[in-house]
Amino acid sequence: MKKVIFACVHNAGRSQMAAAFFNALADPARAHAISAGTQPGARVHPEVQAVMAEVGIDLSEARPQRLTDELARDAQWLITMGCGDACPFVPGLKRGDWPLEDPKGRSLERVREIRDDVRARVWDLLTQEAWRR
């Protein structure tokens, strides 16, 4: 079982979307994802919850969490999302960086575009690693 960590600063938008899509689309016997942040926010952004609900994914119970050494211990991948210098570094993990705009405070139309970009990137990763359902 492979573990992928999606990380951004507040763990309240991009990384939450990525982990949710990943877990919905991945073969659960091959891989799963978690999301975390370097400075976790209090909650998932409401606009992110709204656009994810539009595609049948409920993030109302999702809670931002801090990326810790313990959380990353058994992971194989770390994918960061537009956090620049605040992006974490975890030795020994395969790395990816997806330069995605922070959805916080954006219009629903723009957040939908970010959501769709995240979904496409997740699909490509699952295809590349042969982890799709």
Side-chain angles (χ1 to χ4, degrees):
M1 169 76 72
K2 302 297 183 183
K3 178 178 170 183
V4 176
I5 300 171
F6 291 99
C8 61
V9 176
H10 297 121
N11 187 222
R14 299 163 285 194
S15 57
Q16 291 282 350
M17 288 190 280
F21 278 129
F22 188 100
N23 290 328
L25 299 170
D27 177 344
R30 292 182 176 189
H32 76 281
I34 61 169
S35 66
T38 54
Q39 300 170 16
R43 61 180 164 69
V44 175
H45 303 312
E47 55 272 36
V48 169
Q49 289 184 40
V51 301
M52 292 300 283
E54 292 174 356
V55 296
I57 296 178
D58 180 9
L59 290 181
S60 64
E61 298 297 318
R63 298 288 174 257
Q65 64 179 334
R66 181 172 308 283
L67 178 59
T68 63
D69 290 341
E70 183 177 328
L71 194 66
R73 187 172 329 234
D74 58 346
Q76 288 74 38
W77 272 91
L78 172 65
I79 297 176
T80 55
M81 305 190 153
C83 47
D85 291 340
C87 282
F89 175 74
V90 180
L93 299 187
K94 289 184 180 179
R95 285 282 313 247
D97 183 60
W98 297 351
L100 297 162
E101 180 181 352
D102 187 348
K104 182 180 180 181
R106 304 289 184 257
S107 69
L108 287 180
E109 180 180 327
R110 182 64 190 129
V111 178
R112 285 181 191 109
E113 292 170 355
I114 295 167
R115 174 200 65 200
D116 294 345
D117 188 4
V118 169
R119 180 176 28 203
R121 290 170 185 265
V122 166
W123 185 256
D124 289 348
L125 176 63
L126 291 170
T127 300
Q128 169 192 315
E129 296 296 319
W131 292 338
R132 290 190 341 217
R133 284 185 190 259

